[in-house]
Amino acid sequence: MRTALVTGASSGIGAEIARRLDSLGFNVIITARRADRLEALASELKNKTTIITADLSDREECYRLYGEVKDMGVSVVVNNAGFGLLGNFDDTDLERELSMLDVNCAAVHIFSKLFIRDFIRRDRGYILNVGSSAGLMPGGPLMASYYASKAYVVSLTQSIAEELRARGSKASISVLCPGPVETEFNDVANCSFAIKGISAEFCAEYALKGLFARRTVIVPSAGMKLTAAAVRVAPRNIVLRTARTMQSKKIKDRV
Ligand SMILES: NC(=O)c1ccc[n+]([C@@H]2O[C@H](COP(=O)([O-])OP(=O)(O)OC[C@H]3O[C@@H](n4cnc5c(N)ncnc54)[C@H](OP(=O)(O)O)[C@@H]3O)[C@@H](O)[C@H]2O)c1
């Protein structure tokens, strides 16, 4: 039986990816901080499910998690845990922001490195890093750190993918870059979307199709693909100004 690890599986995109992997016949290892949520998800799944609670803002917890799963035959890793913060850079809380960088970047970096070594050795395995369409933009005023963290995930993943291609490895790495998805993301970031999001179910299904087709950058929804293409050719200062206007519409209770 194939085994997958999904981080941030207690809600949103991660929970849907875990459900989808279970329906594809995987044993799923689900991780997040909220044990009650993970238990509720596990009770729905058909195949063997392993729950491991971990706070991925803590590097020691990342190493502990890897140590617990490394001999469980994991062939799919979904680095999905993450969150956002909204506000002017000088206003947002520094400690929360650093914690965000630990989850969005350091944990993704650690698991990408440790698992890609295993997968290269076995010449098989898939890593899906959950980035964001934010990572395809030159920046995101009012969500500066979040956009920068996702640009890191996109850049890291694309470089590793090219290294794997150049050496003919069958190990594979992809980055998922959705636009807005209807999840608990907004409650955590204390914002509301300026445009309607896609469902987490659609996002998960699209992501896994792209992952198993070995696509490096996976952008669900035609609208976001178009936006990403436009951003590549538009002047950066115009894109940054437009992004700031879009972000300002997300601020809840704005005056
Ligand atoms: N929703 C969107 O519009 C959107 C768009 C593009 C990209 N994304 C990305 O998609 C990913 C999933 O987000 P979502 O939209 O599904 O939001 P969500 O519903 O809030 O889920 C976030 C998940 O991350 C976990 N998490 C957060 N901090 C953690 C920590 N310190 N340690 C361990 N787990 C942690 C949460 O679990 P616990 O709280 O239980 O620990 C939860 O399971 C994120 O990387 C996000 O940046 C979201």
Side-chain angles (χ1 to χ4, degrees), residues 8 10-11 13 33-34 55-56 80 146 150 181 183 193:
S10 61
S11 76
I13 300 169
R33 292 165 302 181
R34 289 172 291 177
D55 182 345
L56 301 186
N80 162 77
Y146 177 74
K150 293 300 182 180
V181 186
T183 67
F193 288 139

Side-chain angles (χ1 to χ4, degrees), residues 36 74 124 142 218:
D36 55 332
V74 172
R124 60 188 277 265
L142 297 176
I218 303 164

